[in-house]
Amino acid sequence: MMNEFKITHLKELENEAIYIFREIAAQFERPTILFSGGKDSIVLVHLAVKAFYPANIPMPLMHIDTGHNFIETLDFRDELAKKINAQLIVKLVQDSIDKGRAVEEKGINASRNILQTITLLDAIEELKIDAAIGGGRRDEEKARAKERFFSHRDEFGQWDPKNQRPELWNIFNGKKNLGEHFRVFPISNWTELDIWQYIMLEKIDIPSIYYTHKREVFNRSGVWLANAPFMERKDGENIEIKDVRCRTIGDITCTGLTLSVAETIEDIVIEVAASRTTERGSRYDDKRSETAMEDRKKEGYF
Amino acid sequence: MVKNYEDTAYVNMDLLRFTTAGSVDDGKSTLIGRLLYDSKSIFEDQLDAITLASKRRGEEHINLSLLTDGLKAEREQGITIDVAYRYFSTPKRKFIIADTPGHIQYTRNMVTGASTANLALILVDARNGVLEQTIRHAYIASLLRIPHIIFCINKMDLVDYKEERYLEICAHIQELVPKLALPDVNFIPVSALLGDNIIHKSKSMTWYHGETLLERLENTPVQKDHNQTDARFPVQYIIRPHSTEFHDYRGYAGRVAGGFFKTGDAVIAMASGLKSKIKTIEKDRTTVAIAHASESVAITLEDDIDISRGDMIVKCENVPNTNNETDAIICWFNVRPLQLSGKYLLKHTTHDVKCIIKEIQYKININSMEQLTSDKHIGMNDIARIRIKTTKPIFYDSYLTNRITGSFILIDEATNETMGAGMIQ
């Protein structure tokens, strides 16, 4: 019987992530799951529920809300929190702007993506969060490929990529001084395809906008963006109606949509498996420069 | 077709973690690039980005190392500073590559990458044969007990694909194998640049009848890499729901670090020594009859005995060593050297305990494997054998029998930095 036992790649990743969640609960006093309503954070919450079953998850969910959302994700967020009996904290970027902590970007490519960092760091300080748990994956972007599971942040919330603590075996060092915190990434080793296969295998609910739907869109430099009241358009960026779906969900101002007719989770898995571009390939926030992600991460971005 | 998707490969795929060590000159980046590219794991936008970056840097060819060297400083200096993790998969298996720099000053990164690997890929330049760094990489693989090793004899195209040269290098490495105590050793003649024997069989080396690199990576058995016999369950966290349905539930959460546990097993809790029986095992929001090595589960016991994080549940007939003094091989990570009589926090499984360095027995020259008994200065990237005394006993197995219950890290309590990693002898 022993010899026949085989752990599949998804179960191995699941076991690893559950182990990380339990280490977080044991090593930190005020851990918080950063929840965006996107697929990675949904999988994160699913894993947390498994890690602490039959108890409720011993940590709240926190959404840093830019105010520029796909409405479907907000409904989904509220329902999920209710379903699993978790506390939901919502922090608004608008509040940071109103308080003068953050200044709105101007111009055609204006986005509140970067401003989220200010709101996030303020929330971490205010709520004395010592572990902010994120759905970051190492396959997403080259700077993330060097990220640790337990990633130390100094008192300014900054990441020092050249001076990271080595991580060996399954031993995680979460020791820190007062005022410092950790970012923890339980699904570091998952790829985009792993996430989708897992959603399919576990039959996890996801917001409807991941599936194909008709939407008003316009094209900017080859990226399809959703039409919304606060979206400024340039001349020649005409509204069209297309069959699209979200491959990632972020702030609506910088989330590119994929032309797709994928109606089911099986369709999505097949589409992702055959895809020849990365999911961040359509993210406007990464296109700003070659090291856009590393620069934002150093400042304390997700 | 869509309906049958669940029957297809992905539900049966398993996972292999491997590490590669080497310098740019070995063709390591080219080899990884080739694996990713030929298995269609590089995306168009990534390829576009590195093509552009290579051009901007005035380079003639697409520089595949730009894929793995993600940090700005690494790209500027053209070196790999840190461990980079890369992912690719075939219909059979998912692979995680821990790509580490091979230079001696990055020994700590090699050790880090090796710590979680099932397999080590060591590159040998066919023109140069076995070099100091080949021995260094093999020694680290052996020290960290990586169960499987593949020596890729690379750049075969530059030695006219000669079988004699390949056999000569293999023979040289074979001489080292007993000295290094390497368990499972394989050799493959390749040209990473031209793709010979990486994914496709080489047309230029018809004398080679073995597997290609990808075939070997896909066929290496990994199920038995965990210790299968000595049941070990380090307790991570106590689950107490305080709900009406699970009013008296007290679950010990953890990941099985060796062997397996079944409902009804007679167990003993270290450190208290109190005995009980396994009442239930929870996994995946349901109750299961057995928990295997590497599974994250929660265990409840028949009796209400005092167990907390840092304790270990084991079977009555097979207990680990318990001691407060132990010998270990240590790799040092910090610029501040190891202090004889220095005090550190020792983190072993889920157990934190203070310790003192009692003795530095010898330093190891990792290029020649010599023991240097007169050199007791243990600085960054050095490897040494030491004796440690802990304030409380730890429950352990030798690293040779269990990589999880036989390993620890040392933390400086003043700075919270991870100073070194140890393997219990």
Side-chain angles (χ1 to χ4, degrees):
Chain A
M1 181 179 174
M2 280 306 299
N3 292 340
E4 288 164 25
F5 177 70
K6 176 181 166 183
I7 288 200
T8 65
H9 78 297
L10 291 176
K11 284 293 161 190
E12 169 78 16
L13 293 172
E14 181 187 70
N15 284 319
E16 178 179 85
I18 289 174
Y19 177 83
I20 301 287
F21 262 112
R22 290 162 167 181
E23 281 301 295
I24 296 167
Q27 293 198 35
F28 297 98
E29 282 172 21
R30 289 172 184 243
T32 300
I33 298 177
L34 301 177
F35 186 77
S36 69
K39 64 182 191 313
D40 298 323
S41 57
I42 292 169
V43 165
L44 210 53
V45 169
H46 184 82
L47 292 162
V49 168
K50 283 196 179 195
F52 302 106
Y53 174 87
N56 289 328
I57 61 170
M59 49 193 72
L61 312 181
M62 182 165 77
H63 182 210
I64 304 299
D65 186 349
T66 62
H68 294 166
N69 299 292
F70 292 95
I71 190 73
E72 294 89 339
T73 58
L74 294 188
D75 295 342
F76 186 91
R77 171 196 79 186
D78 296 346
E79 271 172 44
L80 181 65
K82 216 155 103 190
K83 196 169 99 189
I84 64 163
N85 259 323
Q87 187 200 347
L88 175 67
I89 301 165
V90 178
K91 291 288 175 189
L92 304 170
V93 171
Q94 188 63 50
D95 285 351
S96 304
I97 294 169
D98 294 345
K99 280 187 221 155
R101 302 272 301 140
V103 179
E104 188 100 70
E105 286 186 4
K106 294 205 169 58
I108 203 83
N109 285 323
S111 164
R112 289 182 169 181
N113 186 283
I114 292 173
L115 304 188
Q116 287 182 97
T117 303
I118 295 166
T119 313
L120 172 65
L121 292 177
D122 284 352
I124 285 170
E125 200 177 322
E126 179 202 331
L127 302 169
K128 298 192 168 52
I129 293 166
D130 54 359
I133 307 158
R137 309 190 323 265
R138 287 172 180 157
D139 82 317
E140 271 182 273
E141 211 280 338
K142 53 190 181 290
R144 288 215 201 269
K146 312 251 155 150
E147 184 69 90
R148 303 293 191 259
F149 279 93
F150 275 41
S151 184
H152 180 258
R153 299 301 147 104
D154 67 16
E155 54 186 322
F156 300 101
Q158 295 182 104
W159 181 53
D160 182 1
K162 280 196 281 184
N163 198 17
Q164 299 192 80
R165 293 178 186 174
E167 261 175 7
L168 294 100
W169 300 291
N170 56 352
I171 309 177
F172 297 96
N173 174 3
K175 303 269 173 212
K176 59 178 174 8
N177 291 318
L178 207 64
E180 300 173 345
H181 75 277
F182 273 80
R183 299 292 172 86
V184 190
F185 303 101
I187 55 169
S188 289
N189 277 332
W190 298 50
T191 61
E192 185 191 10
L193 192 56
D194 296 331
I195 293 284
W196 284 115
Q197 288 174 341
Y198 189 72
I199 289 171
M200 177 160 78
L201 189 72
E202 296 279 312
K203 302 183 170 57
I204 300 170
D205 282 338
I206 48 169
S208 58
I209 52 174
Y210 277 116
Y211 300 107
T212 186
H213 56 284
K214 291 207 187 297
R215 186 180 281 276
E216 288 188 357
V217 293
F218 62 93
N219 196 303
R220 175 172 300 164
S221 322
V223 178
W224 291 101
L225 293 168
N227 184 37
F230 38 79
M231 294 289 277
E232 261 184 73
R233 276 177 291 128
K234 292 187 225 173
D235 288 345
E237 293 180 340
N238 299 320
I239 304 248
E240 297 171 60
I241 301 205
K242 294 270 182 197
D243 290 312
V244 292
R245 68 174 203 90
C246 292
R247 197 166 161 193
T248 70
I249 294 179
D251 184 298
I252 199 166
T253 58
C254 61
T255 302
L257 300 159
T258 307
L259 298 179
S260 168
V261 291
E263 281 179 352
T264 63
I265 184 72
E266 288 81 3
D267 293 343
I268 294 177
V269 168
I270 289 166
E271 186 184 287
V272 170
S275 173
R276 298 303 299 136
T277 56
T278 65
E279 58 186 316
R280 298 202 77 93
S282 60
R283 285 287 283 256
Y284 229 85
D285 43 338
D286 289 341
K287 295 209 161 175
R288 293 187 169 196
S289 80
E290 199 189 328
T291 54
M293 177 65 97
E294 183 180 344
D295 296 343
R296 278 180 297 156
K297 278 181 67 65
K298 281 182 184 166
E299 297 299 319
Y301 185 71
F302 296 99
Chain B
M1 159 240 186
V2 166
K3 272 191 185 157
N4 293 329
Y5 197 87
E6 282 201 32
D7 303 330
T8 59
Y10 91 96
V11 277
N12 287 314
M13 269 166 70
D14 60 6
L15 179 66
L16 177 90
R17 299 173 200 252
F18 70 95
T19 176
T20 55
S23 59
V24 181
D25 305 337
D26 295 330
K28 182 189 59 143
S29 296
T30 316
L31 182 93
I32 293 175
R34 175 61 70 180
L35 273 174
L36 297 176
Y37 190 77
D38 284 2
S39 66
K40 303 197 180 1
S41 307
I42 295 176
F43 294 105
E44 278 168 13
D45 52 326
Q46 288 175 311
L47 196 63
D48 287 351
I50 65 161
T51 309
L52 266 175
S54 305
K55 265 194 199 143
R56 203 159 46 229
R57 294 154 60 107
E59 290 174 26
E60 204 177 316
H61 299 286
I62 298 173
N63 185 342
L64 286 167
S65 71
L66 292 176
L67 272 174
T68 45
D69 294 342
L71 301 175
K72 203 190 279 181
E74 292 176 321
R75 296 156 87 87
E76 281 164 6
Q77 295 166 40
I79 51 158
T80 313
I81 294 170
D82 208 329
V83 185
Y85 294 91
R86 304 289 315 178
Y87 304 83
F88 74 100
S89 58
T90 67
K92 272 193 180 174
R93 205 166 242 187
K94 173 189 163 103
F95 298 94
I96 301 180
I97 312 174
D99 181 19
T100 67
H103 197 266
I104 190 155
Q105 74 193 74
Y106 297 110
T107 300
R108 60 184 197 144
N109 297 34
M110 275 189 274
V111 168
T112 302
S115 73
T116 51
N118 307 95
L119 183 147
L121 203 85
I122 299 174
L123 281 167
V124 181
D125 186 326
R127 295 170 304 174
N128 305 328
V130 174
L131 297 177
E132 197 175 81
Q133 72 163 14
T134 318
I135 300 173
R136 186 164 71 235
H137 298 161
Y139 176 67
I140 287 169
S142 139
L143 193 66
L144 274 289
R145 301 285 166 197
I146 300 179
H148 315 278
I149 316 272
I150 300 175
F151 287 95
C152 276
I153 317 302
N154 191 24
K155 305 194 183 180
M156 287 299 293
D157 52 314
L158 299 182
V159 294
D160 300 325
Y161 296 110
K162 279 203 182 95
E163 185 179 15
E164 297 77 39
R165 181 59 185 150
Y166 168 70
L167 292 176
E168 189 185 349
I169 294 169
C170 293
H172 192 167
I173 296 170
Q174 287 287 12
E175 283 170 31
L176 296 165
V177 169
K179 210 168 149 191
L180 286 164
L182 298 174
D184 172 30
V185 177
N186 293 275
F187 302 94
I188 304 175
V190 303
S191 165
L193 188 69
L194 302 174
D196 289 287
N197 288 334
I198 303 293
I199 286 176
H200 308 291
K201 273 230 176 341
S202 170
K203 291 190 175 73
S204 313
M205 290 182 275
T206 45
W207 46 264
Y208 176 75
H209 303 293
E211 292 165 303
T212 62
L213 175 60
L214 188 68
E215 284 168 343
R216 185 84 291 264
L217 290 172
E218 282 186 325
N219 296 334
T220 299
V222 290
Q223 289 100 306
K224 292 182 183 165
D225 288 352
H226 290 285
N227 177 311
Q228 304 284 338
T229 46
D230 312 306
R232 303 285 183 260
F233 189 76
V235 175
Q236 272 187 287
Y237 181 80
I238 316 296
I239 297 174
R240 303 212 58 182
H242 303 290
S243 63
T244 12
E245 193 188 345
F246 295 96
H247 191 74
D248 294 321
Y249 184 93
R250 189 179 166 84
Y252 304 108
R255 194 172 184 190
V256 181
F260 59 94
F261 291 89
K262 282 184 185 150
T263 321
D265 279 348
V267 293
I268 183 165
M270 321 281 287
S272 71
L274 293 170
K275 290 179 181 174
S276 186
K277 275 188 177 154
I278 294 183
K279 189 173 163 190
T280 61
I281 301 170
E282 267 78 45
K283 194 191 90 163
D284 217 358
R285 291 171 295 177
T286 176
T287 301
V288 295
I290 185 167
H292 299 91
S294 88
E295 288 191 301
S296 284
V297 299
I299 286 176
T300 64
L301 300 179
E302 295 283 0
D303 309 280
D304 197 7
I305 56 177
D306 179 28
I307 298 179
S308 50
R309 176 175 166 87
D311 288 343
M312 193 186 284
I313 295 172
V314 301
K315 286 188 190 170
C316 288
E317 73 277 7
N318 179 337
V319 296
N321 303 302
T322 307
N323 210 329
N324 63 354
E325 264 195 58
T326 176
D327 285 354
I329 301 278
I330 191 146
C331 175
W332 202 248
F333 293 152
N334 205 280
V335 281
R336 280 174 296 125
L338 173 72
Q339 299 292 322
L340 181 63
S341 305
K343 287 174 186 149
Y344 299 93
L345 183 74
L346 182 143
K347 216 170 170 49
H348 167 254
T349 66
T350 58
H351 193 194
D352 290 3
V353 59
K354 283 186 188 183
C355 77
I356 183 166
I357 309 302
K358 288 270 285 183
E359 189 189 347
I360 299 172
Q361 290 154 338
Y362 52 82
K363 182 150 122 182
I364 297 163
N365 177 332
I366 59 168
N367 293 326
S368 62
M369 294 176 279
E370 263 179 295
Q371 299 176 2
L372 311 169
T373 42
S374 55
D375 188 353
K376 303 284 173 74
H377 179 86
I378 311 303
M380 187 151 78
N381 295 305
D382 283 342
I383 289 175
R385 186 176 167 118
I386 60 171
R387 188 161 185 77
I388 283 177
K389 184 171 185 175
T390 51
T391 50
K392 279 186 274 178
I394 55 169
F395 339 109
Y396 64 90
D397 298 287
S398 73
Y399 187 77
L400 181 61
T401 53
N402 192 322
R403 289 170 89 186
I404 299 169
T405 56
S407 55
F408 63 83
I409 61 170
L410 294 179
I411 296 168
D412 180 331
E413 285 197 283
T415 64
N416 298 320
E417 288 170 293
T418 301
M419 305 298 283
M423 288 149 282
I424 300 170
Q425 296 306 294

